[in-house]
Amino acid sequence: MIIHILLYGQGIHAASDISYKIEMLDWKDVNHILPKYTKFTVLDVETGKKFKVQRRAGSHHADVQPLTTKDTKVMKKIYGGKWSWKRRAIIVIHKDQWIAASMHGMPHGAGALENNFPGHFCIHFYGSTTHRTNTMDLSHMLMVLKASGNLNEYLGKANPYEVINAYVVGFKQQDGWITSQASLQTIKWKPILAKVENIRISRMELLPPEDLTEEINLNVPIEIEWYIKNKGRQTFRGEIHLVRFSLIDGWKVDSQQFLEENNLP
């Protein structure tokens, strides 16, 4: 993927007319490129804000800290002034390399730098895992795909259940770019996502994906637990309707029906 003035239409301006190739490198490679104590720059995809960090630890992903108090302030502004576990698509800039990645914004554990940041936070790359699992965290994976410009390609080849999971991640992370790429209709996502504090799929009925190769419409029975601002916990038991325009097109969620049934106009 190439950055040139705008980052795939999201309004992020490059510093000059130089074009940059964004690489989606595997964690095994990044682990050698950014060894412990390496300093590098984090570019937030949505806001275009940048701050410097240092890798301090981490074997399955990078445990990092903002370099200075100023860097901590920039990071907190990216998160709207409040620390959060929400994942965000980022680009790691080191020397002449731009690497697609994902971060969360919650200080935890130990910290060693004088930066007014109480602990460290985690940066994930393609193929990196959490401390508790041997697989990629789906939210981090989708953010890496978003940062690299490969999200559309992934969704275009995904089976219906993978599309639903990605769609739900968009709500969970309050990320309108992800929900819009999985949605059949164009929706004003920002006011809707602002109401969603959390969401999880508690049950989804699955058919073998190979049984769906000739389908262009699908209703998937599902149970979802929502946590909506000022309303608390709510449960949706119903169906998600998906369509595709041909057998070679990607699946899309009927957002209009889904939002109406969940009272999220």
Side-chain angles (χ1 to χ4, degrees):
M1 175 189 162
I2 301 293
I3 277 194
H4 187 73
I5 302 303
L6 290 178
L7 184 60
Y8 52 84
Q10 292 204 62
I12 296 172
H13 294 266
S16 68
D17 290 342
I18 301 171
S19 294
Y20 300 90
K21 184 177 185 297
I22 300 174
E23 302 175 277
M24 192 171 75
L25 300 181
D26 191 88
W27 166 242
K28 286 182 277 189
D29 298 319
V30 178
N31 193 27
H32 295 294
I33 295 170
L34 304 173
K36 191 176 178 181
Y37 303 126
T38 301
K39 298 175 183 177
F40 55 89
T41 297
V42 170
L43 168 64
D44 179 65
V45 166
E46 289 286 344
T47 65
K49 295 183 184 298
K50 294 189 292 185
F51 62 100
K52 296 185 182 300
V53 302
Q54 183 181 51
R55 180 181 176 188
R56 301 293 301 183
S59 56
H60 301 290
H61 55 260
D63 291 340
V64 305
Q65 295 176 244
L67 206 55
T68 67
T69 299
K70 180 181 176 182
D71 294 305
T72 297
K73 287 181 179 178
V74 173
M75 182 181 176
K76 198 164 190 177
K77 282 183 181 178
I78 289 170
Y79 275 94
K82 185 178 181 181
W83 297 125
S84 170
W85 288 107
K86 300 290 185 191
R87 279 59 161 150
R88 295 186 69 92
I90 60 170
I91 297 165
V92 163
I93 303 171
H94 178 62
K95 296 181 179 178
D96 60 348
Q97 286 187 287
W98 287 44
I99 307 169
S102 171
M103 70 176 181
H104 67 66
M106 182 60 72
H108 65 286
L113 303 178
E114 292 185 11
N115 56 8
N116 200 30
F117 189 86
H120 65 270
F121 69 100
C122 303
I123 292 181
H124 284 241
F125 299 84
Y126 194 79
S128 60
T129 63
T130 63
H131 293 297
R132 294 173 292 180
T133 69
N134 292 319
T135 57
M136 281 196 76
D137 173 83
L138 178 60
S139 295
H140 278 308
M141 185 186 83
L142 292 172
M143 292 301 178
V144 172
L145 290 169
K146 173 183 172 180
S148 67
N150 291 316
L151 182 61
N152 279 348
E153 181 181 356
Y154 167 79
L155 290 173
K157 297 176 180 177
N159 67 49
Y161 310 112
E162 291 169 333
V163 172
I164 290 173
N165 278 305
Y167 186 69
V168 169
V169 163
F171 284 94
K172 183 179 179 68
Q173 305 302 331
Q174 296 178 320
D175 192 291
W177 181 258
I178 294 176
T179 50
S180 67
Q181 300 312 298
S183 175
L184 177 63
Q185 297 93 353
T186 299
I187 303 287
K188 292 183 178 179
W189 287 107
K190 191 172 182 178
I192 294 171
L193 298 179
K195 299 176 183 178
V196 180
E197 294 181 341
N198 207 348
I199 181 177
R200 77 178 187 93
I201 298 172
S202 51
R203 183 182 64 85
M204 181 163 60
E205 293 186 16
L206 307 180
L207 291 171
E210 57 268 23
D211 290 354
L212 305 172
T213 55
E214 302 301 316
E215 302 294 332
I216 58 171
N217 288 276
L218 187 65
N219 290 312
V220 178
I222 197 165
E223 183 173 313
I224 290 175
E225 289 186 15
W226 294 91
Y227 292 85
I228 305 297
K229 192 174 292 184
N230 300 323
K231 291 184 179 180
R233 181 177 176 270
Q234 298 187 358
T235 301
F236 170 70
R237 296 180 181 90
E239 295 180 331
I240 289 184
H241 180 59
L242 299 99
V243 299
R244 56 180 173 174
F245 297 109
S246 76
L247 298 181
I248 61 172
D249 287 324
W251 290 96
K252 299 287 185 180
V253 174
D254 184 345
S255 293
Q256 190 170 334
Q257 178 180 318
F258 180 69
L259 294 172
E260 285 176 0
E261 291 181 354
N262 281 278
N263 298 312
L264 286 169

